[in-house]
Amino acid sequence: MTDDLTVVLDRLDAWLEGNAPADHVALNPPATQEDIDAIADRRFLLHPNLVTWLRRHDGVTAAKGHNGPGALLPEGFILHAAAGMRAGQRAQEEAIAEWVDENESEDPDLRDIYDGVYGYAFHVRWVPIATDITGGKLIIDHRDGDRFGNVLYGLQAGDTEGPVKVWDSLSHMFQDLLVTLTEGTEIRLPGYADPVTPRLVGSDNDAFVRWE
């Protein structure tokens, strides 16, 4: 399997168009460069994989929710458009400000104890890219070093631990998705008890992938 995200997305688009046309139709057109730039707005450098994905598809439109066309990822994750990613990153900043206001008066050193991660769940360089029905999120980590570009899972209400790494990169995420779809193999995300397998439901132009 290639590491070239453009090639992977070409193959994924082709598979969806031929096998799950309702999912293919749910894929949005490319995001504008203005919308892509607005996600970070010069706060940090966006990972190239994320830029490549958004230049292909500005997320999905899942009109029937987490169990219908457009919920391409396991467990019904719906991929955000660039505007949703921007809103998710800004929500992280707001949550950090609130958390610091509530806690820093007790211990001024709290700014540093989580390597910039506040209350286990917030970092200014985490960009949520998809949300499941429970509110859990897939996040692209934009911190420096080996973490840059990792895909994390977490941020559910009541979490007492930070997000966990699910994939090394967005490219690997889409590679795994492509293999799972084309070969019908199972996949399991951390935080979920059981693996799931893709199954095509519907017929003709209404066919889409459901994870069971």
Side-chain angles (χ1 to χ4, degrees), residues 111-190:
R111 288 180 180 273
D112 304 317
I113 61 176
Y114 299 126
D115 188 24
V117 180
Y118 295 82
Y120 300 104
F122 314 114
H123 195 285
V124 294
R125 293 193 180 190
W126 285 346
V127 177
I129 62 164
T131 302
D132 69 8
I133 197 169
T134 70
K137 292 178 174 57
L138 294 177
I139 305 150
I140 302 294
D141 195 340
H142 285 83
R143 289 176 292 176
D144 295 334
D146 293 340
R147 301 169 297 192
F148 183 59
N150 287 173
V151 181
L152 313 178
Y153 165 75
L155 297 190
Q156 291 177 297
D159 277 353
T160 56
E161 297 182 0
V164 296
K165 185 174 80 169
V166 187
W167 287 282
D168 289 337
S169 67
L170 198 63
S171 180
H172 290 161
M173 183 188 84
F174 280 115
Q175 285 184 42
D176 276 0
L177 176 63
L178 180 61
V179 169
T180 300
L181 292 176
T182 57
E183 298 182 5
T185 52
E186 64 182 23
I187 190 170
R188 186 182 75 83
L189 296 184

Coordinates of all heavy atoms in Angstrom, one line a residue, residues 111-190:
R111 N -0.1 25.7 34.0 CA 0.1 26.0 32.5 C 1.1 24.9 31.9 O 1.0 24.7 30.7 CB 0.7 27.4 32.3 CG -0.3 28.5 32.5 CD 0.3 29.8 32.2 NE -0.6 30.9 32.4 CZ -1.4 31.4 31.5 NH1 -1.5 30.8 30.3 NH2 -2.2 32.4 31.7
D112 N 2.0 24.4 32.7 CA 3.1 23.6 32.2 C 2.9 22.1 32.4 O 3.6 21.3 31.8 CB 4.4 24.1 32.7 CG 4.6 25.6 32.5 OD1 4.3 26.0 31.3 OD2 5.1 26.3 33.4
I113 N 2.1 21.7 33.3 CA 2.2 20.3 33.8 C 1.7 19.3 32.8 O 2.1 18.1 32.9 CB 1.4 20.1 35.1 CG1 -0.1 20.4 34.9 CG2 2.0 20.9 36.2 CD1 -0.9 20.1 36.1
Y114 N 1.0 19.7 31.8 CA 0.5 18.7 30.8 C 1.2 18.9 29.4 O 0.6 18.6 28.4 CB -1.0 18.8 30.6 CG -1.7 18.4 31.9 CD1 -2.7 19.3 32.4 CD2 -1.5 17.2 32.5 CE1 -3.4 19.0 33.5 CE2 -2.2 16.9 33.7 CZ -3.1 17.8 34.2 OH -3.8 17.5 35.3
D115 N 2.4 19.5 29.4 CA 3.0 19.8 28.1 C 2.1 20.6 27.2 O 2.0 20.3 26.0 CB 3.5 18.5 27.5 CG 4.4 18.8 26.2 OD1 5.0 19.9 26.1 OD2 4.4 17.9 25.3
G116 N 1.4 21.5 27.8 CA 0.4 22.3 27.0 C -0.9 21.7 26.8 O -1.8 22.3 26.2
V117 N -1.2 20.6 27.4 CA -2.5 19.9 27.4 C -3.2 20.3 28.7 O -2.7 20.0 29.8 CB -2.4 18.4 27.2 CG1 -3.8 17.8 27.2 CG2 -1.6 18.0 26.0
Y118 N -4.3 21.0 28.6 CA -5.0 21.5 29.8 C -6.2 20.6 30.1 O -7.0 20.2 29.2 CB -5.5 22.9 29.5 CG -4.4 23.9 29.3 CD1 -3.8 24.0 28.1 CD2 -3.9 24.7 30.4 CE1 -2.7 24.9 27.9 CE2 -2.9 25.5 30.2 CZ -2.3 25.7 29.0 OH -1.3 26.5 28.8
G119 N -6.3 20.2 31.4 CA -7.5 19.4 31.8 C -7.6 18.1 31.1 O -8.7 17.6 30.9
Y120 N -6.5 17.6 30.6 CA -6.4 16.3 29.9 C -6.9 16.4 28.4 O -6.7 15.5 27.7 CB -7.1 15.2 30.6 CG -6.6 14.9 32.0 CD1 -7.3 15.3 33.1 CD2 -5.4 14.2 32.2 CE1 -6.8 15.0 34.4 CE2 -4.9 13.9 33.4 CZ -5.7 14.3 34.5 OH -5.2 14.1 35.8
A121 N -7.7 17.4 28.1 CA -8.5 17.3 26.9 C -8.3 18.5 25.9 O -9.0 18.5 24.9 CB -10.0 17.2 27.3
F122 N -7.5 19.5 26.2 CA -7.4 20.6 25.3 C -6.0 21.0 25.0 O -5.1 21.1 25.8 CB -8.1 21.8 26.0 CG -9.4 21.5 26.6 CD1 -9.6 21.6 28.0 CD2 -10.5 21.1 25.9 CE1 -10.8 21.3 28.6 CE2 -11.7 20.8 26.5 CZ -11.8 20.9 27.8
H123 N -5.8 21.3 23.7 CA -4.5 21.8 23.2 C -4.8 22.7 22.0 O -5.6 22.4 21.2 CB -3.5 20.7 22.9 CG -2.1 21.2 22.8 ND1 -1.7 21.9 21.7 CD2 -1.1 21.1 23.6 CE1 -0.4 22.2 21.9 NE2 0.0 21.7 23.0
V124 N -4.0 23.8 22.0 CA -4.3 24.8 20.9 C -3.9 24.3 19.5 O -4.3 24.8 18.5 CB -3.6 26.1 21.2 CG1 -4.2 26.8 22.4 CG2 -2.1 25.9 21.3
R125 N -3.1 23.2 19.5 CA -2.6 22.7 18.2 C -3.3 21.3 17.9 O -2.8 20.5 17.1 CB -1.1 22.5 18.2 CG -0.4 23.8 18.2 CD 1.1 23.7 17.8 NE 1.8 25.0 17.8 CZ 3.0 25.1 17.4 NH1 3.7 24.1 16.9 NH2 3.6 26.3 17.4
W126 N -4.4 21.1 18.5 CA -5.3 19.9 18.1 C -6.4 20.4 17.2 O -7.1 21.3 17.6 CB -5.8 19.2 19.4 CG -4.8 18.4 20.1 CD1 -3.6 18.0 19.7 CD2 -5.0 17.9 21.5 NE1 -3.0 17.3 20.7 CE2 -3.8 17.2 21.8 CE3 -6.0 17.9 22.4 CZ2 -3.6 16.6 23.0 CZ3 -5.8 17.3 23.6 CH2 -4.6 16.6 23.9
V127 N -6.5 19.8 16.1 CA -7.6 20.2 15.1 C -8.5 19.0 15.0 O -8.2 18.0 14.3 CB -7.0 20.5 13.8 CG1 -8.1 20.9 12.8 CG2 -6.0 21.7 13.9
P128 N -9.7 19.1 15.5 CA -10.7 18.0 15.4 C -11.2 17.9 13.9 O -11.5 18.9 13.3 CB -11.9 18.4 16.2 CG -11.3 19.4 17.2 CD -10.2 20.1 16.5
I129 N -11.1 16.7 13.4 CA -11.5 16.5 11.9 C -12.7 15.7 11.7 O -13.3 15.6 10.6 CB -10.3 15.8 11.2 CG1 -10.0 14.4 11.7 CG2 -9.1 16.7 11.2 CD1 -9.1 13.6 10.8
A130 N -13.2 15.0 12.8 CA -14.4 14.2 12.7 C -15.0 13.9 14.0 O -14.3 13.9 15.0 CB -14.1 12.8 12.0
T131 N -16.3 13.7 14.1 CA -17.0 13.5 15.3 C -18.0 12.3 15.2 O -18.6 12.2 14.2 CB -17.9 14.8 15.7 OG1 -17.0 15.9 15.8 CG2 -18.6 14.6 17.0
D132 N -18.0 11.5 16.3 CA -19.0 10.4 16.3 C -20.2 10.8 17.0 O -20.4 11.9 17.5 CB -18.3 9.1 16.8 CG -18.0 9.2 18.3 OD1 -18.5 10.2 19.0 OD2 -17.4 8.3 18.9
I133 N -21.2 9.8 17.1 CA -22.5 10.1 17.7 C -22.4 10.4 19.2 O -23.3 11.1 19.7 CB -23.5 9.0 17.4 CG1 -24.9 9.4 17.6 CG2 -23.1 7.7 18.2 CD1 -25.9 8.4 17.0
T134 N -21.4 10.0 19.8 CA -21.2 10.2 21.3 C -20.5 11.5 21.6 O -20.4 11.9 22.8 CB -20.4 9.1 21.9 OG1 -19.1 9.1 21.5 CG2 -21.0 7.7 21.6
G135 N -20.0 12.2 20.6 CA -19.2 13.4 20.8 C -17.7 13.2 20.8 O -17.0 14.1 20.9
G136 N -17.3 11.9 20.7 CA -15.9 11.6 20.6 C -15.3 12.2 19.3 O -16.1 12.3 18.3
K137 N -14.1 12.5 19.3 CA -13.5 13.2 18.1 C -12.2 12.5 17.6 O -11.4 12.0 18.4 CB -13.2 14.7 18.4 CG -14.5 15.5 18.6 CD -14.2 16.9 19.0 CE -15.5 17.7 19.0 NZ -16.5 17.2 20.0
L138 N -12.0 12.6 16.3 CA -10.7 12.3 15.7 C -10.0 13.6 15.6 O -10.6 14.6 15.1 CB -10.8 11.6 14.4 CG -11.4 10.2 14.5 CD1 -11.5 9.6 13.1 CD2 -10.5 9.2 15.4
I139 N -8.7 13.7 15.9 CA -8.0 15.0 16.0 C -6.6 14.8 15.3 O -6.0 13.8 15.4 CB -7.7 15.3 17.5 CG1 -9.0 15.3 18.3 CG2 -6.9 16.6 17.6 CD1 -8.8 15.0 19.7
I140 N -6.3 15.8 14.5 CA -4.9 15.9 14.0 C -4.0 16.7 14.9 O -4.3 17.8 15.3 CB -4.9 16.5 12.6 CG1 -5.8 15.8 11.6 CG2 -3.4 16.6 12.1 CD1 -5.3 14.4 11.3
D141 N -3.0 16.0 15.4 CA -2.0 16.6 16.4 C -1.0 17.5 15.6 O -0.3 17.0 14.7 CB -1.3 15.5 17.1 CG -0.6 16.1 18.4 OD1 -0.4 17.3 18.5 OD2 -0.3 15.2 19.3
H142 N -1.0 18.8 15.9 CA -0.1 19.7 15.2 C 1.1 20.1 16.2 O 1.7 21.1 15.9 CB -0.8 20.9 14.7 CG -1.6 20.5 13.4 ND1 -2.9 20.0 13.5 CD2 -1.3 20.7 12.1 CE1 -3.3 19.8 12.2 NE2 -2.4 20.2 11.4
R143 N 1.3 19.4 17.3 CA 2.4 19.7 18.1 C 3.7 19.3 17.4 O 3.7 18.4 16.5 CB 2.3 19.0 19.4 CG 1.3 19.5 20.3 CD 1.1 18.7 21.6 NE 0.6 17.4 21.4 CZ 0.4 16.4 22.3 NH1 0.8 16.7 23.5 NH2 -0.1 15.3 22.0
D144 N 4.8 19.9 17.7 CA 6.1 19.6 17.0 C 6.6 18.2 17.3 O 6.2 17.6 18.3 CB 7.1 20.7 17.5 CG 6.8 22.1 17.0 OD1 6.0 22.2 16.0 OD2 7.2 23.0 17.7
G145 N 7.6 17.8 16.5 CA 8.2 16.5 16.8 C 7.5 15.3 16.1 O 6.8 15.5 15.2
D146 N 7.7 14.2 16.7 CA 7.2 12.9 16.2 C 5.6 12.9 16.2 O 5.0 12.1 15.5 CB 7.7 11.7 16.9 CG 9.2 11.5 16.7 OD1 9.7 12.0 15.7 OD2 9.8 10.8 17.6
R147 N 5.0 13.8 17.0 CA 3.6 13.8 17.2 C 2.9 14.5 16.0 O 1.7 14.3 15.8 CB 3.2 14.4 18.5 CG 3.7 13.7 19.7 CD 3.5 14.6 21.0 NE 4.2 15.8 20.9 CZ 4.4 16.6 22.0 NH1 3.9 16.3 23.2 NH2 5.1 17.8 21.9
F148 N 3.7 15.3 15.3 CA 3.1 16.1 14.2 C 2.4 15.3 13.2 O 3.0 14.4 12.5 CB 4.2 17.0 13.6 CG 3.8 17.9 12.5 CD1 2.8 18.9 12.8 CD2 4.3 17.8 11.2 CE1 2.4 19.8 11.8 CE2 3.9 18.7 10.2 CZ 2.9 19.7 10.6
G149 N 1.1 15.4 13.0 CA 0.3 14.7 12.0 C -0.3 13.5 12.6 O -1.1 12.8 11.8
N150 N -0.1 13.1 13.8 CA -0.7 11.9 14.4 C -2.2 12.1 14.4 O -2.7 13.2 14.6 CB -0.3 11.6 15.8 CG 1.1 11.0 15.9 OD1 1.7 10.9 17.0 ND2 1.8 10.7 14.8
V151 N -3.0 11.0 14.2 CA -4.5 11.1 14.4 C -4.8 10.5 15.7 O -4.5 9.4 16.1 CB -5.2 10.3 13.3 CG1 -6.7 10.4 13.5 CG2 -4.8 10.8 11.9
L152 N -5.4 11.3 16.6 CA -5.8 11.0 17.9 C -7.3 10.7 18.1 O -8.1 11.3 17.3 CB -5.4 12.1 18.9 CG -4.0 12.7 18.8 CD1 -3.8 13.8 19.8 CD2 -2.9 11.6 18.9
Y153 N -7.7 10.0 19.1 CA -9.1 9.8 19.4 C -9.3 10.2 20.8 O -8.6 9.8 21.7 CB -9.5 8.3 19.2 CG -10.9 8.0 19.8 CD1 -12.0 8.5 19.2 CD2 -11.0 7.3 21.0 CE1 -13.3 8.2 19.8 CE2 -12.2 7.1 21.6 CZ -13.3 7.6 21.0 OH -14.6 7.3 21.6
G154 N -10.4 10.9 21.1 CA -10.7 11.3 22.5 C -11.7 12.4 22.5 O -12.5 12.7 21.6
L155 N -11.6 13.2 23.6 CA -12.3 14.4 23.8 C -13.8 14.2 24.0 O -14.6 15.1 23.7 CB -12.1 15.4 22.6 CG -10.7 16.0 22.4 CD1 -10.8 17.1 21.4 CD2 -10.1 16.4 23.7
Q156 N -14.2 13.1 24.6 CA -15.5 12.9 25.1 C -15.8 13.6 26.4 O -14.8 13.7 27.2 CB -15.9 11.4 25.2 CG -15.9 10.7 23.8 CD -16.2 9.2 23.9 OE1 -15.4 8.5 24.5 NE2 -17.3 8.8 23.4
A157 N -17.0 13.9 26.7 CA -17.3 14.5 28.0 C -17.0 13.6 29.1 O -17.3 12.4 29.0 CB -18.8 14.9 28.0
G158 N -16.3 14.1 30.1 CA -16.0 13.2 31.3 C -14.7 12.5 31.1 O -14.3 11.7 32.0
D159 N -14.0 12.7 30.0 CA -12.7 12.0 29.9 C -11.7 12.4 31.0 O -11.7 13.5 31.4 CB -12.0 12.4 28.6 CG -12.5 11.5 27.4 OD1 -13.3 10.6 27.6 OD2 -12.1 11.9 26.2
T160 N -11.0 11.4 31.6 CA -10.0 11.7 32.6 C -8.6 11.4 32.1 O -7.7 11.5 32.9 CB -10.3 10.8 33.9 OG1 -10.4 9.4 33.5 CG2 -11.7 11.2 34.5
E161 N -8.5 11.1 30.9 CA -7.2 10.9 30.3 C -7.2 11.6 28.9 O -8.2 11.8 28.3 CB -6.9 9.4 30.1 CG -6.8 8.6 31.4 CD -6.5 7.1 31.1 OE1 -6.3 6.7 30.0 OE2 -6.4 6.4 32.1
G162 N -6.0 11.9 28.4 CA -5.9 12.6 27.2 C -6.2 11.6 26.0 O -6.3 10.4 26.1
P163 N -6.4 12.2 24.8 CA -6.6 11.4 23.6 C -5.5 10.4 23.3 O -4.3 10.7 23.7 CB -6.7 12.5 22.5 CG -7.1 13.7 23.2 CD -6.4 13.7 24.5
V164 N -5.8 9.3 22.7 CA -4.8 8.3 22.4 C -4.6 8.3 20.9 O -5.5 8.6 20.1 CB -5.3 6.9 22.8 CG1 -5.5 6.8 24.3 CG2 -6.7 6.5 22.1
K165 N -3.4 7.9 20.5 CA -3.1 7.9 19.1 C -3.7 6.7 18.4 O -3.7 5.5 18.9 CB -1.5 7.8 18.9 CG -1.2 7.9 17.4 CD 0.4 7.9 17.2 CE 1.0 6.6 17.3 NZ 2.4 6.6 16.9
V166 N -4.3 6.9 17.3 CA -5.0 5.8 16.5 C -4.2 5.5 15.3 O -4.1 4.3 14.9 CB -6.5 6.2 16.2 CG1 -7.2 5.1 15.6 CG2 -7.2 6.7 17.4
W167 N -3.8 6.5 14.6 CA -3.0 6.4 13.4 C -1.8 7.3 13.4 O -1.8 8.4 14.0 CB -3.8 6.7 12.1 CG -4.8 5.6 11.7 CD1 -4.6 4.4 11.1 CD2 -6.2 5.7 11.9 NE1 -5.8 3.8 11.0 CE2 -6.8 4.5 11.4 CE3 -7.1 6.7 12.5 CZ2 -8.1 4.3 11.5 CZ3 -8.4 6.4 12.5 CH2 -8.9 5.2 12.0
D168 N -0.7 6.9 12.7 CA 0.5 7.8 12.6 C 0.2 9.1 11.8 O 0.8 10.1 12.0 CB 1.7 7.1 12.0 CG 2.2 6.0 12.9 OD1 2.0 6.1 14.2 OD2 2.9 5.1 12.4
S169 N -0.7 9.0 10.9 CA -1.0 10.1 10.0 C -2.4 9.9 9.4 O -3.0 8.9 9.4 CB 0.1 10.2 8.9 OG 0.0 9.0 8.0
L170 N -2.8 11.0 8.8 CA -4.1 11.0 8.0 C -4.0 10.0 6.8 O -4.9 9.4 6.4 CB -4.5 12.4 7.6 CG -5.9 12.6 7.1 CD1 -6.8 12.4 8.3 CD2 -6.0 14.1 6.6
S171 N -2.8 10.0 6.2 CA -2.5 9.1 5.1 C -2.7 7.7 5.5 O -3.4 6.9 4.8 CB -1.1 9.3 4.6 OG -0.8 8.4 3.5
H172 N -2.2 7.3 6.7 CA -2.4 5.9 7.2 C -3.8 5.6 7.5 O -4.3 4.5 7.3 CB -1.5 5.7 8.4 CG -0.1 5.6 8.1 ND1 0.9 5.8 9.0 CD2 0.6 5.4 6.9 CE1 2.1 5.7 8.4 NE2 1.9 5.4 7.2
M173 N -4.6 6.6 8.0 CA -6.0 6.5 8.3 C -6.8 6.1 7.0 O -7.5 5.1 7.0 CB -6.6 7.7 8.9 CG -8.0 7.6 9.3 SD -8.8 9.2 9.9 CE -9.3 9.8 8.2
F174 N -6.5 6.9 6.0 CA -7.2 6.6 4.7 C -6.8 5.3 4.1 O -7.6 4.6 3.4 CB -7.1 7.8 3.8 CG -8.1 8.9 4.1 CD1 -7.6 10.1 4.5 CD2 -9.4 8.7 4.1 CE1 -8.5 11.2 4.8 CE2 -10.3 9.7 4.4 CZ -9.8 11.0 4.7
Q175 N -5.5 5.0 4.3 CA -5.0 3.7 3.8 C -5.7 2.5 4.4 O -6.2 1.6 3.8 CB -3.5 3.5 4.0 CG -2.6 4.3 3.1 CD -1.2 4.1 3.3 OE1 -0.8 2.9 3.5 NE2 -0.4 5.1 3.4
D176 N -5.9 2.6 5.8 CA -6.6 1.5 6.5 C -8.0 1.5 6.1 O -8.6 0.4 6.0 CB -6.5 1.8 8.0 CG -5.2 1.3 8.6 OD1 -4.3 0.7 7.8 OD2 -5.0 1.4 9.8
L177 N -8.6 2.6 5.9 CA -10.0 2.7 5.5 C -10.2 2.0 4.1 O -11.1 1.2 3.9 CB -10.5 4.1 5.4 CG -11.9 4.3 4.8 CD1 -13.0 3.6 5.7 CD2 -12.2 5.8 4.7
L178 N -9.3 2.3 3.2 CA -9.4 1.7 1.9 C -9.2 0.2 1.9 O -10.0 -0.5 1.3 CB -8.3 2.3 1.0 CG -8.2 1.8 -0.5 CD1 -9.5 2.1 -1.2 CD2 -7.0 2.5 -1.2
V179 N -8.2 -0.3 2.7 CA -8.0 -1.7 2.8 C -9.3 -2.4 3.4 O -9.8 -3.4 2.9 CB -6.8 -2.0 3.6 CG1 -6.7 -3.5 4.0 CG2 -5.5 -1.6 2.9
T180 N -9.8 -1.8 4.5 CA -11.0 -2.4 5.1 C -12.2 -2.4 4.2 O -12.9 -3.4 4.1 CB -11.3 -1.5 6.4 OG1 -10.2 -1.5 7.3 CG2 -12.5 -2.1 7.1
L181 N -12.4 -1.4 3.4 CA -13.5 -1.4 2.5 C -13.3 -2.4 1.3 O -14.3 -3.1 1.0 CB -13.7 0.0 1.9 CG -14.2 1.1 2.9 CD1 -14.2 2.5 2.2 CD2 -15.5 0.8 3.5
T182 N -12.2 -2.4 0.7 CA -12.0 -3.2 -0.4 C -11.9 -4.7 -0.1 O -12.2 -5.6 -0.9 CB -10.7 -2.8 -1.2 OG1 -9.6 -2.8 -0.3 CG2 -10.8 -1.4 -1.8
E183 N -11.4 -5.0 1.1 CA -11.2 -6.4 1.5 C -12.3 -6.9 2.5 O -12.3 -8.1 2.8 CB -9.8 -6.6 2.1 CG -8.7 -6.3 1.1 CD -7.3 -6.5 1.7 OE1 -7.2 -7.1 2.8 OE2 -6.3 -6.2 1.0
G184 N -13.1 -6.0 3.0 CA -14.1 -6.4 3.9 C -13.6 -6.8 5.2 O -14.3 -7.6 5.9
T185 N -12.5 -6.3 5.7 CA -11.9 -6.8 6.9 C -12.4 -5.9 8.1 O -13.0 -4.8 7.9 CB -10.4 -6.7 6.9 OG1 -10.0 -5.3 6.4 CG2 -9.8 -7.7 5.9
E186 N -12.2 -6.4 9.3 CA -12.7 -5.7 10.5 C -11.7 -4.7 11.0 O -10.5 -4.8 10.7 CB -13.1 -6.6 11.6 CG -12.0 -7.4 12.2 CD -12.5 -8.4 13.2 OE1 -13.7 -8.8 13.2 OE2 -11.6 -8.8 14.1
I187 N -12.2 -3.7 11.7 CA -11.3 -2.7 12.3 C -11.9 -2.3 13.7 O -13.1 -2.3 13.9 CB -11.2 -1.5 11.3 CG1 -10.1 -0.5 11.8 CG2 -12.5 -0.8 11.2 CD1 -9.8 0.6 10.7
R188 N -11.0 -1.9 14.6 CA -11.5 -1.5 15.9 C -10.7 -0.3 16.3 O -9.5 -0.2 16.2 CB -11.3 -2.6 17.0 CG -11.9 -2.2 18.3 CD -11.6 -3.3 19.4 NE -10.3 -3.3 19.8 CZ -9.8 -2.5 20.8 NH1 -10.6 -1.6 21.4 NH2 -8.6 -2.5 21.2
L189 N -11.4 0.7 16.8 CA -10.8 1.9 17.3 C -10.7 1.9 18.8 O -11.6 1.3 19.5 CB -11.6 3.2 16.9 CG -11.8 3.5 15.5 CD1 -12.5 4.8 15.3 CD2 -10.4 3.6 14.8
P190 N -9.6 2.4 19.4 CA -9.5 2.5 20.9 C -10.7 3.2 21.5 O -11.3 4.1 20.9 CB -8.3 3.3 21.1 CG -7.5 3.1 19.9 CD -8.4 3.0 18.7

